[in-house]
Amino acid sequence: MFQRIRNLSFALFFCLYGRAYGYSLLIDASDISSEQVPECINFIAETKDIPYRIVLPEEMEPWEKRIISVLAEKSAFGVVCGLRPNVWMRGVATLGVSDFRDVLARNLMKYSQLSGSTAEEIFVGAQMPTDDCFRILSSEGIKTVFRVGDGFAAKHEPSLINVVSCLPSVNIENSQDMPLYYKVSVFEDLAKLLSNNMPEEFTREPQEPFNRSRATGIVLSDINLKMWEHFSAARKKLENYKNSGRADREKLSAALEKAYTVEALSNWIGEASAENIFYAVAGIYEAIEEPLPENYASIAGMLFDELRGLPISVSEDFFVYTLSAEDGYMNINGHFSLPVSTAVPLEFYWWNPAAGYSTRLAQGGGRLSGPANFCIVAAENNIFYRAVQNEWERMWTVPEVSRTSSAFSVRMPLIFMQFSNKTNISFFIRLSSSSSTKSLAISLPDSSVEKKWLDPVGDAKGPGWYVGSPGTPAGMCDIMSLSLRNNTTKIYFQFYFAGPVAADDRYSGFDLYIDINGIKKKGEGRAMAGLNCFMQESAYWEYCLRVTSASATLIKGAEATEVPVKFDSSFRIATVSIPKEQFPYDPAVCGFTFASYMLDEKGNVLEVLQEKDSIHPGGGRPELKSPNVFDIITPGSLSQKRSLSAYLKKRGAVIPALP
């Protein structure tokens, strides 16, 4: 009785103070914060007898879900199942139907946990499902699909699913006679607004026939179109990996999550997300251990406007500085308009889209105005950092940095900034959290480098606890960078170490394992004798380049051919040249795995004992076949520790391929 009286009072109120506009309403509350959920519940309690649909946030407390479930019983409002991640199902060679089935099943399960019933209505965002996806939706019991777009209602054939396309609106007063979509950010006065502008129930049986031509997509910019092509290629690789029968569950899950994130329609409207897409696509290849396409880094040049070559002079309110390149170094010289304490960190950031992870977290805390993946901090110690998965990893000390209260100067080898023939970077300076310069788009001098990999100084400790024998020079075995160069007759590999390859009666060596085809388990899976290591299954090798202070040898099966190697005067830089008749493959598309180790005076690999002695290093467990490897090249030091400490779990240590 009370319910009927209340319904009648709503109707009388509406007739007296408002007028029917014939609109229906979908409220999207999926992005509200956890602090706003109680407000949302109060709003629903006040308006539960008004006919509208609402999409709720994915994560809610159990007691909050229970309240919503009780309120939904015998009420006019309805909760619509959301689709997270909200994928774009209309792209070229995009989300596979089997993946959509997985995403849908996960969301339907969450909806049933929220409501205690099976879903019949689902919200798919600004997209239109394919016919295959409609069939899947129908098989799961979905009766109505809500989307954002032109306002209309139709019925899809042959699935017989009602399609309700809701026109986005920021004002539901004086609404048009059509379905509307309202993205809610605050609930204050919303209940009153609805009662004054009463929506109608969504049409159950739309008469309009389904017209797919009305489901228009978006026009991609040049940058986004290129990124979509790369993403499409990555999706094909991922689909092949998923159906290969050799997919690792954790790796596949990580790759799929990256793909689902990229597929969100919001990423492709405008270019604000271009850099995130760039790294997410690279992350798909990384997760399934596939090499990036040869031309992938070429997109980096499109992500910058107004590229400027060096030298560059900049004058801003607080900073005046110049950037120049000379004798293989990047020079940064400048001064402040007002004195600044040298205790305040001065940070130099740059972003190279062709070089690994990026982050918007400042090295010393806070947020950056743009992405970055490298940083020099001029403070008490002048340190070079790189970004690794949303944190900063210390690489090494930069000796040529000077700083006073009024001026600063930095001199950085260009070889640590150039990752390809043409390198474009975004550069800015930040003075702690108080001030920063505008980002500059800089084109570095051309380089002969085709590929480059960096590795931090100080990690030549195997799994993290190996120690050299007494008298071992600091930095021995500690790789800093590896560069690949290529011309018409020879291939060049340059290895840059933190310490000498050999000194007095201490010797080291290093191997570069080369996979020419990328085919799983095709080639040799075990490292050279004495190392107690294995390769990744997708990076078994056909060639091994073995280098010592005395020679360099290219090994293929039982054949070993000596190749030229040159060392600088400090024995820290080794440059190996391989004639192309001895290696007739394109190195730019090959896979590589690196390992360094200690040698005895006869050139044999030294075993890492449990306790070091006058000759042998210590920290190993020979009885467990601990790896006799001191350094490898990985995306981060934690990767090295995890890889080389696997012997503790009685598994062979597997060296990851170069990223």
Side-chain angles (χ1 to χ4, degrees):
M1 181 68 180
F2 175 78
Q3 181 67 43
R4 295 172 63 184
I5 293 173
R6 180 168 181 173
N7 287 342
L8 179 61
S9 65
F10 267 117
L12 290 173
F13 183 92
F14 187 70
C15 292
L16 290 171
Y17 298 102
R19 68 182 182 84
Y21 295 99
Y23 80 101
S24 50
L25 182 64
L26 173 67
I27 298 174
D28 185 358
S30 59
D31 291 332
I32 65 172
S33 66
S34 58
E35 290 79 11
Q36 290 179 286
V37 171
E39 298 176 37
C40 179
I41 294 174
N42 289 337
F43 162 76
I44 292 174
E46 292 183 53
T47 61
K48 65 186 182 70
D49 296 315
I50 297 178
Y52 63 86
R53 297 293 186 274
I54 187 168
V55 183
L56 294 172
E58 187 175 29
E59 301 299 333
M60 297 177 66
E61 296 293 336
W63 63 271
E64 294 170 334
K65 295 179 182 180
R66 180 58 183 163
I67 292 176
I68 297 291
S69 178
V70 171
L71 289 173
E73 295 177 1
K74 299 180 180 179
S75 298
F77 88 100
V79 178
V80 176
C81 177
L83 191 65
R84 293 281 186 115
N86 200 325
V87 294
W88 188 22
M89 294 178 285
R90 297 187 60 245
V92 179
T94 178
L95 190 67
V97 173
S98 60
D99 296 332
F100 174 66
R101 194 186 300 275
D102 294 340
V103 174
L104 179 63
R106 186 164 65 243
N107 284 274
L108 293 179
M109 181 180 298
K110 289 182 178 180
Y111 176 86
S112 65
Q113 292 172 347
L114 167 66
S115 65
S117 60
T118 57
E120 294 187 352
E121 300 176 336
I122 192 166
F123 173 61
V124 298
Q127 58 184 319
M128 185 66 78
T130 63
D131 289 342
D132 284 338
C133 290
F134 266 119
R135 282 193 287 272
I136 294 172
L137 289 165
S138 178
S139 68
E140 294 291 343
I142 298 298
K143 301 292 192 300
T144 303
V145 167
F146 292 93
R147 67 180 293 269
V148 178
D150 295 337
F152 67 88
K155 186 178 290 292
H156 175 264
E157 298 288 351
S159 70
L160 301 181
I161 288 178
N162 296 331
V163 178
V164 180
S165 184
C166 303
L167 182 71
S169 176
V170 296
N171 183 8
I172 59 177
E173 293 182 289
N174 302 320
S175 303
Q176 302 178 53
D177 184 10
M178 63 176 61
L180 297 183
Y181 168 84
Y182 182 77
K183 182 82 169 181
V184 64
S185 56
V186 293
F187 291 93
E188 185 178 0
D189 296 330
L190 183 57
K192 182 179 180 181
L193 186 62
L194 283 191
S195 63
N196 289 339
N197 299 270
M198 187 76 72
E200 294 183 353
E201 179 60 73
F202 284 96
T203 304
R204 286 293 182 184
E205 295 295 335
Q207 301 301 313
E208 183 177 340
F210 180 77
N211 184 355
R212 184 165 289 282
S213 64
R214 298 187 66 167
T216 55
I218 59 173
V219 178
L220 299 179
S221 67
D222 289 343
I223 291 176
N224 284 346
L225 181 61
K226 190 68 176 177
M227 289 307 309
W228 186 263
E229 292 172 358
H230 281 301
F231 178 53
S232 174
R235 282 291 303 151
K236 290 177 182 177
K237 284 278 188 182
L238 179 54
E239 194 71 16
N240 291 339
Y241 178 75
K242 179 178 179 180
N243 299 324
S244 66
R246 60 178 178 83
D248 177 90
R249 180 181 299 177
E250 292 185 3
K251 295 174 183 176
L252 178 61
S253 176
L256 286 172
E257 285 301 321
K258 288 182 174 68
Y260 298 154
T261 300
V262 171
E263 300 231 9
L265 182 65
S266 59
N267 286 332
W268 303 95
I269 301 174
E271 298 174 358
S273 300
E275 71 272 13
N276 295 329
I277 297 171
F278 186 90
Y279 287 112
V281 172
I284 293 172
Y285 284 95
E286 180 183 344
I288 62 176
E289 299 176 354
E290 287 282 351
L292 283 168
E294 184 177 0
N295 64 340
Y296 190 63
S298 64
I299 189 69
M302 299 177 67
L303 299 180
F304 293 112
D305 294 325
E306 300 180 6
L307 272 172
R308 300 168 64 182
L310 300 176
I312 299 173
S313 296
V314 179
S315 179
E316 297 189 11
D317 291 341
F318 197 76
F319 296 89
V320 177
Y321 66 97
T322 61
L323 297 167
S324 62
E326 184 180 5
D327 298 330
Y329 282 82
M330 165 77 90
N331 299 309
I332 309 169
N333 297 286
H335 63 270
F336 308 110
S337 58
L338 296 172
V340 176
S341 170
T342 55
V344 178
L346 182 62
E347 302 162 351
F348 303 86
Y349 290 95
W350 66 95
W351 179 53
N352 181 344
Y357 298 101
S358 65
T359 182
R360 290 178 184 264
L361 297 175
Q363 194 282 325
R367 300 287 297 179
L368 300 174
S369 58
N373 44 22
F374 296 101
C375 174
I376 295 175
V377 178
E380 183 177 354
N381 296 312
N382 304 309
I383 308 298
F384 173 44
Y385 295 88
R386 72 171 174 183
V388 288
Q389 293 182 309
N390 273 331
E391 64 181 8
W392 290 96
E393 179 179 54
R394 174 175 174 152
M395 297 296 284
W396 52 74
T397 301
V398 182
E400 298 187 68
V401 176
S402 63
R403 165 91 183 277
T404 68
S405 61
S406 60
F408 54 87
S409 175
V410 177
R411 184 173 163 87
M412 178 77 171
L414 276 169
I415 62 170
F416 296 133
M417 305 178 77
Q418 296 165 317
F419 280 70
S420 56
N421 302 113
K422 292 186 178 295
T423 300
N424 302 323
I425 65 172
S426 174
F427 175 88
F428 61 95
I429 304 173
R430 182 175 184 265
L431 186 62
S432 186
S433 60
S434 60
S435 179
S436 64
T437 65
K438 296 179 181 178
S439 294
L440 292 177
I442 302 172
S443 178
L444 297 180
D446 289 352
S447 166
S448 58
V449 173
E450 286 196 13
K451 284 188 175 182
K452 180 182 289 291
W453 298 267
L454 300 182
D455 196 68
V457 166
D459 67 338
K461 303 173 183 177
W465 49 82
Y466 285 4
V467 292
S469 59
T472 301
M476 182 170 279
C477 292
D478 200 348
I479 186 72
M480 293 177 67
S481 75
L482 165 59
S483 302
L484 165 64
R485 294 177 171 87
N486 194 5
N487 63 24
T488 56
T489 60
K490 293 183 179 180
I491 300 164
Y492 296 89
F493 293 100
Q494 186 176 79
F495 304 85
Y496 200 122
F497 289 87
V501 174
D504 298 328
D505 59 347
R506 292 293 181 267
Y507 308 93
S508 67
F510 53 91
D511 295 345
L512 185 67
Y513 299 93
I514 308 174
D515 173 25
I516 63 174
N517 51 50
I519 300 175
K520 183 178 180 181
K521 292 186 177 181
K522 183 173 183 180
E524 176 58 56
R526 186 184 295 270
M528 296 291 287
L531 295 185
N532 291 348
C533 282
F534 299 87
M535 306 294 114
Q536 286 182 342
E537 291 184 347
S538 59
Y540 281 14
W541 57 277
E542 285 75 30
Y543 289 83
C544 172
L545 176 62
R546 168 156 282 199
V547 183
T548 70
S549 60
S551 65
T553 306
L554 186 65
I555 300 168
K556 180 186 179 185
E559 300 177 9
T561 306
E562 192 165 319
V563 293
V565 58
K566 292 183 179 180
F567 289 91
D568 73 327
S569 59
S570 67
F571 262 75
R572 293 175 55 203
I573 304 174
T575 304
V576 179
S577 58
I578 304 176
K580 289 198 170 180
E581 58 265 23
Q582 295 179 10
F583 187 81
Y585 302 96
D586 181 2
V589 297
C590 292
F592 300 97
T593 305
F594 174 87
S596 64
Y597 42 83
M598 298 295 297
L599 297 171
D600 63 18
E601 58 184 6
K602 295 181 180 180
N604 300 313
V605 176
L606 277 175
E607 187 173 49
V608 183
L609 304 179
Q610 189 162 357
E611 299 292 338
K612 68 180 180 180
D613 59 23
S614 59
I615 297 175
H616 294 84
R621 295 285 298 276
E623 74 279 9
L624 297 179
K625 297 293 183 182
S626 55
N628 296 314
V629 171
F630 272 75
D631 204 6
I632 58 179
I633 297 176
T634 67
S637 57
L638 287 177
S639 300
Q640 175 170 322
K641 292 178 180 179
R642 284 194 295 265
S643 300
L644 296 184
S645 64
Y647 73 92
L648 294 173
K649 299 179 181 179
K650 297 184 180 180
R651 298 197 304 261
V654 176
I655 306 176
L658 269 61

